[in-house]
Amino acid sequence: MNVREAESADYPALADLQGAVWPDHATTGDLLAHEDRELRDHPRRPHLWRVVAEEGGQVVGTAYAIQYPGMFHPGRYHVDVFVHPGAQGRGVGRALAGRLDGHLRERGARELLSGTREDCPRGLAFLDKQGFSEVMRFFDNVLALDEFNPAPWGDAARLPAPYRQVTLAGLLSEVGEEAAWQAYFDAVEEIREDVPCTGEATPLAFEHFRKRGEDPRFMPEGVYFALTPAGEVAAMTELYTDGVDPAKLHTGLTGARRAHRRRGLALALKLAALNFARGRGTTSIWTGNATTNAPMLALNTRLGFRPRPAWIEMRRGAVEDV
């Protein structure tokens, strides 16, 4: 077995490995490369490091350490170790974890976040031995669109006055690039503050936020807003493509700004997005929900989303609040 730092030529193998370990979250080499470029271009200059394990010239495992800009602290790293199912039990994970620990000691890491699914006892035992403990759980919530009936929702699908519905694509046409993206950014910046996460949210950078339009999975026509008469985004929901499965869509951020809550705005926009998805031949919509996010879990359950096995977020060490 050979453990070495990852190279750009490894992206296709890394994508194959992710698909083998987590089939529900398969990706492509091009998407992984795009995500890494976006991370390296971020103004916070977050750290990104990967190694791969090879056997017979084939990539059978990988480990990484990443500092995500949205929850940034110089001493906090998200880490993971993937081992191909066919190569498990041969010490690959231990070798990768050893390289990872050495790298993080050199970096002076103080808090590590990792995780696995609740139905993966090998992964849970591995993280436990590495000193990690549970801090939060998330669900993949999935809606099969052939089981969704929009008829009972009736008036709930219409925004109350004085709000009007518009997509990002429509808003770009109405007010232009700068104003549309600024309105989008302002809403995301506020709504995300109330989304449960394992660390404090750090401020977004507007110029980097605009780069999400370059993501091949991004759909301006799938981003729905409830707009006030003054042109402020009061609520929103996002749909983006899967990148691998053309019949699958994902929900991004959904919510209302604090001054506009409890008016049915998020529900109306979700229903509009579901109608859009049905019209394009989508068979399933996936979203992620923290188990502590009771309002969003309740809304998605009402719509017919059903949870998959929970993802258990785990932590080792801690950093002080920023």
Side-chain angles (χ1 to χ4, degrees):
M1 180 174 57
N2 177 44
V3 178
R4 60 170 175 79
E5 292 203 17
E7 303 169 351
S8 58
D10 293 318
Y11 280 121
L14 289 170
D16 290 344
L17 179 62
Q18 180 170 319
V21 175
W22 301 119
D24 289 342
H25 295 277
T27 188
T28 68
D30 287 343
L31 285 174
L32 284 177
H34 172 82
E35 290 165 1
D36 284 2
R37 285 194 302 271
E38 286 292 288
L39 197 66
R40 291 190 174 102
D41 288 344
H42 196 278
R44 290 188 184 278
R45 295 293 181 260
H47 184 64
L48 167 62
W49 180 84
R50 297 183 196 270
V51 290
V52 297
E54 294 177 313
E55 288 183 343
Q58 300 295 311
V59 172
V60 295
T62 186
Y64 65 75
I66 295 175
Q67 291 178 313
Y68 286 118
M71 206 173 74
F72 183 83
H73 186 286
R76 175 185 291 134
Y77 295 80
H78 288 75
V79 300
D80 214 337
V81 174
F82 289 175
V83 179
H84 193 282
Q88 292 177 3
R90 301 206 294 260
V92 177
R94 289 193 299 275
L96 288 167
R99 284 289 298 271
L100 185 59
D101 278 346
H103 179 76
L104 292 166
R105 281 196 299 271
E106 291 177 2
R107 298 279 305 175
R110 293 158 56 195
E111 177 179 308
L112 306 181
L113 293 166
S114 189
T116 191
R117 274 193 349 198
E118 63 180 346
D119 59 348
C120 296
R122 183 190 292 269
L124 290 169
F126 182 83
L127 287 168
D128 181 67
K129 289 179 182 177
Q130 296 290 319
F132 287 81
S133 57
E134 179 177 341
V135 288
M136 189 175 286
R137 293 191 177 211
F138 300 85
F139 288 126
D140 270 337
N141 248 347
V142 184
L143 175 64
L145 279 174
D146 61 354
E147 299 175 4
F148 176 70
N149 179 13
W153 293 96
D155 291 342
R158 289 185 285 274
L159 289 171
Y163 303 98
R164 70 181 179 94
Q165 178 183 299
V166 64
T167 64
L168 175 60
L171 194 60
L172 287 165
S173 297
E174 290 180 19
V175 301
E177 290 272 339
E178 193 70 19
W181 277 98
Q182 187 66 57
Y184 185 13
F185 174 81
D186 291 344
V188 168
E189 195 170 38
E190 179 177 327
I191 294 169
R192 70 187 283 269
E193 291 178 356
D194 297 322
V195 176
C197 59
T198 49
E200 63 284 348
T202 47
L204 300 173
F206 177 69
E207 289 306 317
H208 190 266
F209 176 82
R210 285 195 59 167
K211 290 185 177 181
R212 66 172 53 194
E214 301 171 9
D215 192 306
R217 294 160 293 192
F218 186 72
M219 296 190 300
E221 68 276 19
V223 180
Y224 282 77
F225 299 138
L227 217 62
T228 69
E232 177 189 63
V233 174
M236 58 171 287
T237 191
E238 302 168 308
L239 285 177
Y240 55 94
T241 64
D242 180 68
V244 175
D245 184 350
K248 181 178 178 181
L249 290 179
H250 297 264
T251 299
L253 183 63
T254 298
R257 299 175 81 167
R258 297 183 189 99
H260 302 276
R261 290 178 182 167
R262 292 178 290 279
R263 303 180 190 183
L265 304 184
L267 173 58
L269 294 177
K270 288 272 283 191
L271 291 167
L274 294 182
N275 185 57
F276 165 78
R278 285 162 58 91
R280 72 189 303 275
T282 301
T283 60
S284 66
I285 296 182
W286 292 60
T287 188
N289 295 127
T291 57
T292 56
N293 193 352
M296 192 53 63
L297 278 173
L299 173 57
N300 284 330
T301 298
R302 288 172 60 201
L303 290 168
F305 284 82
R306 296 295 177 259
R308 296 293 178 97
W311 178 267
I312 303 177
E313 187 82 355
M314 306 179 80
R315 180 168 59 203
R316 187 175 82 193
V319 297
E320 296 89 3
D321 291 340
V322 175

